[in-house]
Amino acid sequence: MREIILIKNGELVLKGLNRSTFEDVLIKNMKKALHEIGEFTFTKSQSTIMAEPVDPDTDLDDAVDALKCVFGIVALSRAAVSEKDMEIIKGIAAEYLDEELSLAKTFKVEAKRSDKRFPFKSPEIARELGGYLLSKFNHLKVDVHNPEVTVTVEIRDNYAFIRGNNIKGAGGMPVSTSGRAAVLISGGIDSPVAAYMMAKRGIELVAVHFASPPYTTELAEEKVMTLLHKVARYSGPITAYVVPFTELQEQIRDKCEEDYFTIIMRRYMMKISEILARHQHCSALITGESVGQVASQTIYALACTDASVTMPVFRPCIGMDKVEIIDISRKIDTFETSIQPYEDCCTVFTPRHPKTRAKLEEVTAAEAAIENSDELIERAVKGARKTVIK
């Protein structure tokens, strides 16, 4: 039996004359996601993209699992291909959906007739097929409001497609359609979630991680790479930088007023990240900050860190509480890695009484105690190690 995958592309239908460009990027991203599974041909038709394996023995279960993580897909389903003949459609539907319908108690049939030359109208198709399936599956009952299985028949120009329930996709916009941005990635819960959320809006990711050996260990860095691997399942490849930050942190500890340690550290992180971001042709920075979650994330502290860069800073978690962030981290499988007890440099030299209502002029005055800051930043940038996470 010939089988394909039907892909619904959601909000891309709203893109007007630019829609085809977005769909082309989505198809490119799908090909990348399916690269190790098999070769597929893609056909665009209205709000649907049809993916058909070149090799009929390709494992479509694996293909569906891969496509579920591709941003830009709102729903997808495996479907059987049939000739546009009502009797053939009925026979294929009963065979193709045998397992799904055998396990269900209720169902309904929906029909979509794009080819108006087909002799049956949509309500007639649904009635004919529904009656046939009831005769083949005696235990079934029709439930048009909340069925366990929705059988859908789509009559297209060349073929009819028969499918069961839709599978929910990742939604959002195809990655790379909204530009590039650099995410400051720690080993915590929030920053991987922020990376995922911005990738969902079509942003291609670059990651910047700060390491402070011997205060942080190789295990902490490995933890971050594992988190990026999990995010890359959705975002595609991520160019990642590991920045040596020990020298700068020690200078902050030795020369700056303790209450400002965290804010000054964040400002230097932002400055270094902006330089690396520009090297990678990024247009924005991303952080996992949430208002009020810790002392460095008050609106006063955030204003001070923003003032250290000229790029816009995206904070998709800004209005979320910890429970909401954790829910997303569990969904994308980063939570269990994030809670591993390997500390990152954000916990090094934490002040006993951090400033929560810092003023920019106070912070810059405290920061001025580091006389060779430009040289320190330059050394940190030059010492950054780059890798690509897939």
Side-chain angles (χ1 to χ4, degrees):
M1 185 182 298
R2 185 179 167 194
E3 196 174 9
I4 64 169
I5 301 174
L6 293 176
I7 296 138
K8 302 294 183 181
N9 54 26
E11 63 183 284
L12 299 193
V13 300
L14 305 176
K15 295 302 177 183
L17 297 177
N18 294 322
R19 174 176 162 182
S20 180
T21 302
F22 285 86
E23 289 176 336
D24 289 343
V25 174
L26 175 58
I27 289 172
K28 179 182 176 182
N29 292 347
M30 288 193 287
K31 286 180 177 178
K32 288 180 182 178
L34 296 170
H35 175 70
E36 295 184 358
I37 297 169
E39 184 179 354
F40 286 73
T41 60
F42 294 86
T43 305
K44 295 187 286 186
S45 178
Q46 298 172 331
S47 61
T48 303
I49 297 174
M50 293 165 278
E52 182 170 6
V54 173
D55 181 352
D57 293 327
T58 299
D59 191 326
L60 289 192
D61 284 334
D62 288 347
V64 167
D65 285 341
L67 292 176
K68 283 193 296 185
C69 296
V70 176
F71 289 129
I73 298 174
V74 67
L76 66 159
S77 58
R78 294 171 61 162
V81 181
S82 170
E83 293 180 36
K84 294 193 296 184
D85 179 283
M86 199 63 225
E87 293 304 311
I88 295 175
I89 289 171
K90 289 192 287 188
I92 289 179
E95 179 185 353
Y96 183 63
L97 299 173
D98 178 74
E99 182 177 354
E100 199 168 350
L101 291 173
S102 295
L103 296 173
K105 294 181 180 179
T106 60
F107 84 115
K108 74 172 181 178
V109 177
E110 292 183 348
K112 300 177 181 179
R113 188 182 64 141
S114 298
D115 181 3
K116 303 305 180 185
R117 297 168 299 176
F118 191 69
F120 293 84
K121 295 181 180 179
S122 295
E124 295 169 337
I125 297 169
R127 186 167 57 249
E128 283 279 324
L129 181 55
Y132 182 80
L133 293 176
L134 282 171
S135 71
K136 291 292 183 179
F137 299 90
N138 296 323
H139 67 287
L140 281 177
K141 292 184 179 179
V142 174
D143 184 344
V144 297
H145 300 294
N146 190 31
E148 292 179 48
V149 177
T150 299
V151 177
T152 302
V153 180
E154 297 189 30
I155 309 297
R156 300 275 181 163
D157 290 340
N158 298 317
Y159 300 99
F161 301 117
I162 303 151
R163 59 180 172 84
N165 288 335
N166 269 330
I167 300 165
K168 187 176 181 180
M173 299 289 293
V175 171
S176 84
T177 57
S178 300
R180 305 185 93 192
V183 57
L184 281 71
I185 188 87
S186 70
I189 297 170
D190 304 342
S191 55
V193 169
Y196 162 84
M197 292 177 69
M198 295 313 302
K200 186 174 183 178
R201 297 313 306 158
I203 287 180
E204 186 178 355
L205 298 176
V206 171
V208 183
H209 174 65
F210 293 86
S212 295
Y215 308 106
T216 60
T217 67
E218 289 184 6
L219 290 174
E221 185 178 327
E222 291 174 8
K223 172 183 172 182
V224 169
M225 295 302 118
T226 299
L227 289 169
L228 289 175
H229 277 292
K230 292 179 179 293
V231 173
R233 187 182 178 205
Y234 297 89
S235 69
I238 301 171
T239 299
Y241 288 94
V242 178
V243 178
F245 202 54
T246 307
E247 187 178 16
L248 254 167
Q249 280 200 284
E250 289 178 339
Q251 287 287 309
I252 295 169
R253 176 198 62 189
D254 295 342
K255 296 185 177 180
C256 297
E257 188 178 337
E258 182 184 356
D259 292 358
Y260 295 99
F261 279 1
T262 303
I263 295 176
I264 293 172
M265 177 195 71
R266 293 293 295 174
R267 281 170 57 85
Y268 277 110
M269 286 180 168
M270 299 286 272
K271 292 174 184 180
I272 293 167
S273 297
E274 183 175 43
I275 293 169
L276 294 171
R278 294 197 186 282
H279 288 172
Q280 287 292 318
H281 308 291
C282 295
S283 301
L285 300 175
I286 303 166
T287 77
E289 291 159 317
S290 170
V291 168
Q293 190 174 122
V294 294
S296 64
Q297 296 177 19
T298 65
I299 59 174
Y300 311 98
L302 295 176
C304 291
T305 54
D306 279 2
S308 65
V309 294
T310 58
M311 278 185 174
V313 182
F314 296 152
R315 295 183 171 95
C317 302
I318 196 70
M320 300 170 66
D321 62 33
K322 202 66 177 184
V323 173
E324 293 171 308
I325 296 170
I326 287 172
D327 286 344
I328 297 174
S329 73
R330 291 187 187 279
K331 171 185 171 182
I332 63 176
D333 191 32
T334 58
F335 178 75
E336 294 299 331
T337 302
S338 291
I339 62 174
Q340 291 175 2
Y342 306 124
E343 293 187 339
D344 57 52
C345 66
C346 294
T347 60
V348 177
F349 312 140
T350 303
R352 290 165 294 180
H353 304 290
K355 281 281 185 181
T356 58
R357 289 178 173 262
K359 297 179 180 178
L360 181 59
E361 59 270 23
E362 296 172 348
V363 174
T364 54
E367 188 178 281
I370 303 175
E371 297 174 356
N372 58 339
S373 61
D374 289 344
E375 294 176 14
L376 292 170
I377 290 172
E378 185 178 357
R379 284 204 289 272
V381 170
K382 287 183 176 179
R385 291 180 283 111
K386 184 173 77 170
T387 187
V388 177
I389 305 297
K390 297 182 179 180

